[in-house]
Amino acid sequence: MKTFIISENDAGQRLDKFLRKTAPNLPQSLLYKAIRKKDIKINRKRAEISSRLQVGDEVSVYLADEFFVKPETVYDFTRAGKQLSIVYEDENILLLDKKAGVLCHPDDREYIDTLIGRVKRYLYEKGEYNPDAENSFVPSLVNRIDRNTGGIVIAAKNAESLRILNQKVKDRELHKYYLCVVHGTLSQKKGILKGFLVKDEKKNKVQVLTSPAPNAKTIQTAYTVLGEKNELSLLEIDLLTGRTHQIRAHFASIGHPLLGDGKYGTNAQNKRFGYKKQFLYSYKLVFDFKTDAGMLSYLDGQCFSVPDVWFKQAFFDGTL
């Protein structure tokens, strides 16, 4: 018999999902049969497949130990890079300054050295994350930023923080501000751009329309011009809606593509300045909770920013 006491990181899951992770050698058909035969119990009482686990629950499994033997694992994340720029850290979250060129999650080109891989390695080496001791939870990123864009990414260290922050993102109680450099000068120095965004999944590219269309999503992009030099403008962006490539596509649609953006701008424009890296940075994050934030309520009202955005000072110095 095996007994598991449910921790905060395992709470809230369905019983069958929890057991599939804790007993990797247990066939699904046998798992469901064991539940029906009462060989799996919660707090010594009959359990249902769909039972939701609570903190402190005792899960008893009357099956052979062989189903619970986990193979010795060499963790891929231990081969991820060590480079992490930490803006803020406490027992629940990490705020990371992701550099341009680093992937948030693995893709078909890079599997090992990603931001989440570096986070896992960092917490593992600190002794705050032990995959062998966790039944199901792994450190996770709350938001993501494109490979070629830099800025603040939130990592959750525990399941409750992840749950709360995911909901806060959904409810738009986290405000993300960007800095970018665009070609040209805008006639209005402050405003809100509105439009409708359609995504082409195959091309991984979006189009901004001026009127509604099938499958188009409403977008709003607030901006303030901070400076103008050499036919370029430095803008602060308040992302009122968070859609794929929203900032890049929105400004390109009004004739002001981002400096260095080859997808929505033109190489001819960028070649003049000699830059291939796009000038876009998610530099500031504000926690603005309108509803209860539970264990993360201490973050309400706090503002965090990247102290040194690589292109900001160069813009004002005129050295771009």
Side-chain angles (χ1 to χ4, degrees):
M1 183 189 78
K2 286 282 186 181
T3 300
F4 303 93
I5 303 300
I6 301 304
S7 68
E8 290 184 356
N9 282 342
D10 294 320
Q13 295 184 81
R14 280 171 50 123
L15 175 63
D16 55 342
K17 182 179 178 182
F18 170 78
L19 289 172
R20 283 199 297 270
K21 294 176 181 178
T22 55
N25 302 323
L26 180 62
Q28 184 169 303
S29 59
L30 185 55
L31 165 61
Y32 291 148
K33 182 179 180 181
I35 292 175
R36 290 195 304 271
K37 292 180 61 180
K38 304 180 187 179
D39 288 334
I40 298 175
K41 297 182 179 181
I42 300 176
N43 299 325
R44 302 178 185 178
K45 297 180 181 178
R46 178 172 184 159
E48 300 294 337
I49 292 172
S50 59
S51 296
R52 293 280 176 179
L53 299 175
Q54 305 296 322
V55 174
D57 278 350
E58 179 183 282
V59 178
S60 302
V61 184
Y62 297 87
L63 293 172
D65 289 348
E66 65 190 66
F67 294 120
F68 300 90
V69 176
K70 296 182 180 180
E72 187 174 342
T73 305
V74 177
Y75 296 107
D76 288 335
F77 61 76
T78 60
R79 293 187 283 130
K82 287 189 173 185
Q83 302 83 2
L84 275 182
S85 179
I86 299 174
V87 176
Y88 171 81
E89 179 179 10
D90 63 27
E91 67 275 14
N92 297 311
I93 68 168
L94 276 164
L95 300 184
L96 306 159
D97 177 11
K98 185 193 84 70
K99 304 304 181 183
V102 177
L103 275 173
C104 281
H105 295 101
D107 69 2
D108 56 356
R109 290 178 293 172
E110 177 60 65
Y111 178 74
I112 301 296
D113 193 18
T114 61
L115 186 65
I116 188 58
R118 294 181 185 187
V119 168
K120 290 177 183 177
R121 177 174 182 173
Y122 170 73
L123 295 176
Y124 180 74
E125 292 179 349
K126 280 186 69 181
E128 291 188 29
Y129 169 52
N130 181 359
D132 294 327
E134 288 288 348
N135 290 317
S136 59
F137 180 78
V138 297
S140 302
L141 303 184
V142 176
N143 63 312
R144 60 186 298 171
I145 295 177
D146 292 342
R147 177 198 283 268
N148 295 323
T149 303
I152 298 177
V153 175
I154 312 168
K157 292 185 178 183
N158 51 64
E160 181 64 6
S161 294
L162 181 63
R163 184 194 66 78
I164 292 171
L165 290 172
N166 280 340
Q167 187 62 46
K168 295 304 180 186
V169 170
K170 182 178 179 181
D171 294 339
R172 304 206 61 77
E173 296 180 24
L174 303 181
H175 301 298
K176 293 177 285 185
Y177 296 85
Y178 290 73
L179 290 179
C180 68
V181 176
V182 301
H183 289 279
T185 57
L186 285 76
S187 56
Q188 294 186 338
K189 306 310 174 186
K190 187 173 184 177
I192 298 177
L193 304 180
K194 298 180 180 180
F196 302 88
L197 183 145
V198 179
K199 184 175 182 181
D200 186 328
E201 296 285 354
K202 292 182 179 179
K203 294 182 179 179
N204 189 30
K205 193 172 182 179
V206 303
Q207 180 182 8
V208 176
L209 309 175
T210 56
S211 57
N215 300 318
K217 296 181 178 179
T218 302
I219 57 172
Q220 295 188 65
T221 310
Y223 72 91
T224 301
V225 177
L226 302 180
E228 299 172 341
K229 276 193 176 184
N230 302 324
E231 298 181 45
L232 297 171
S233 298
L234 176 67
L235 312 180
E236 181 185 63
I237 307 296
D238 181 0
L239 207 54
L240 302 180
T241 56
R243 310 295 187 193
T244 301
H245 299 173
Q246 178 177 323
I247 296 173
R248 299 162 63 189
H250 217 165
F251 282 96
S253 74
I254 63 169
H256 297 285
L258 269 63
L259 177 60
D261 187 355
K263 177 170 281 192
Y264 295 99
T266 66
N267 290 330
Q269 284 178 303
N270 294 321
K271 188 175 181 180
R272 176 186 166 196
F273 293 91
Y275 288 100
K276 294 183 179 179
K277 185 163 60 172
Q278 66 188 22
F279 284 58
L280 178 63
Y281 220 91
S282 178
Y283 86 109
K284 185 165 66 175
L285 175 68
V286 178
F287 293 90
D288 183 22
F289 299 151
K290 305 300 183 186
T291 55
D292 180 46
M295 65 187 291
L296 298 183
S297 60
Y298 62 90
L299 292 171
D300 187 29
Q302 295 202 46
C303 173
F304 300 92
S305 61
V306 176
D308 184 22
V309 176
W310 65 274
F311 56 80
K312 182 178 179 181
Q313 193 57 48
F315 180 89
F316 287 114
D317 291 343
T319 55
L320 282 183

